[in-house]
Amino acid sequence: MTNIVVLVKQVPDTYSERKLSDGDYTLDRESADAVLDEINERAVEEALKIKEAGEGEVTVVSVGPDRATDAIRKALSMGADKAIHVSDETLHGSDLIATAKVLAAAIGKVEGYDLVIAGNEASDGRGGAVPAILAELLGLPQLTHVRALTVEGSTVKGDRETEDGITHLEANLPAVVSVSEKINEPRYPSFKGIMAAKKKPVETLTIADLGVDAGEVGLANAWVSVAEAAPKPPRQAGQRVEDEGDGGAKVAEYLVGQKLI
């Protein structure tokens, strides 16, 4: 029996225009369509596969504003059993370290968990560090950026692929695992799953409920902040070369001028 926690995040759709807010230069989440991050769908899928191979329970944990409930419900419609949603205005602008602290506290509310599965990085922040920080805070071994995962008794095994080859990882449970986009192809929620998700329990918590100090989270307490931001300048037209028998020489002259040759 394996009890699994899956971390999910609602992010701006990559097909929408994403921008920073004018006031504090944090991500303007209201300006774009919000979706469950695709890498998190793969994390949920992997948890469900492990559950279906034996017994256990899958708990979804998410930190985000009220509308993040939509992303949580999608994970539940895929087959997860229940969820914890940490929603608190004081979390606005929190950095990776603060986010990991809140997640660690939320995971602590899940009794008897054996495995924590996350995506390797979110498509909005792209920090890729939360799983490792979380493992450190929880005092657990970490298997990160894995493309294949198996659980055998009290042991978890994973394959991490790099440019140099494949590294075989192994750790005792409980452990933290982050998966890459090669781990699986997530299932589509069925109509039955969508309807069932509406009745599954979602516990909403604040940082006070978790015992997290407000002085450790939020933009004012982040280790880094954006001081200034400007939109990317429009792309300028390229230089056109008319070939009148000397096109090759003109191209070479241009490349020399750009110090490319």
Side-chain angles (χ1 to χ4, degrees):
M1 181 172 180
T2 305
N3 288 327
I4 307 169
V5 173
V6 184
L7 307 183
V8 303
K9 186 178 184 181
Q10 188 183 61
V11 298
D13 193 334
T14 54
Y15 293 101
S16 300
E17 181 182 359
R18 294 177 288 178
K19 62 181 182 179
L20 300 181
S21 61
D22 296 329
D24 55 15
Y25 304 119
T26 58
L27 183 63
D28 185 353
R29 298 187 180 277
E30 299 298 326
S31 65
D33 295 332
V35 297
L36 172 61
D37 205 347
E38 182 179 346
I39 193 64
N40 295 155
E41 293 185 35
R42 299 180 189 275
V44 172
E45 175 65 27
E46 198 63 19
L48 296 175
K49 288 170 62 178
I50 295 171
K51 172 190 171 181
E52 291 164 357
E55 294 182 358
E57 190 173 58
V58 176
T59 303
V60 171
V61 174
S62 183
V63 175
D66 291 344
R67 71 172 184 168
T69 304
D70 295 337
I72 293 171
R73 289 296 178 190
K74 182 171 185 180
L76 294 175
S77 69
M78 291 175 66
D81 299 290
K82 59 182 181 178
I84 294 175
H85 179 195
V86 183
S87 180
D88 197 311
E89 292 183 0
T90 59
L91 292 172
H92 173 74
S94 294
D95 60 11
L96 294 173
I97 296 176
T99 299
K101 287 181 179 179
V102 174
L103 286 170
I107 292 170
K109 295 288 186 179
V110 182
E111 295 184 7
Y113 68 88
D114 303 292
L115 187 62
V116 178
I117 303 180
N120 57 354
E121 64 178 8
S123 61
D124 52 358
R126 303 297 297 271
V130 167
I133 299 172
L134 184 62
E136 177 68 20
L137 293 174
L138 294 174
L140 299 179
Q142 55 177 298
L143 285 68
T144 55
H145 297 266
V146 301
R147 59 166 294 173
L149 186 66
T150 57
V151 175
E152 300 175 0
S154 61
T155 302
V156 59
K157 298 180 180 180
D159 294 340
R160 178 194 293 141
E161 181 179 7
T162 66
E163 295 179 355
D164 300 321
I166 297 178
T167 304
H168 302 289
L169 310 171
E170 182 176 331
N172 292 327
L173 296 175
V176 175
V177 172
S178 68
V179 301
S180 73
E181 69 281 353
K182 295 183 179 181
I183 190 72
N184 57 47
E185 286 298 327
R187 69 193 68 186
Y188 289 101
S190 64
F191 177 75
K192 181 179 179 181
I194 294 172
M195 297 305 293
K198 297 179 180 180
K199 299 180 180 179
K200 292 179 179 179
V202 177
E203 184 180 9
T204 303
L205 302 174
T206 64
I207 61 170
D209 296 326
L210 297 175
V212 176
D213 186 351
E216 296 182 287
V217 301
L219 183 60
N221 300 295
W223 283 57
V224 296
S225 61
V226 178
E228 185 178 356
K232 182 172 63 175
R235 186 174 180 179
Q236 297 181 350
Q239 181 175 330
R240 183 174 180 177
V241 174
E242 297 287 347
D243 186 9
E244 298 176 350
D246 58 351
K250 290 180 179 179
V251 170
E253 182 180 351
Y254 172 79
L255 293 176
V256 170
Q258 298 296 315
K259 297 182 179 180
L260 297 175
I261 60 174

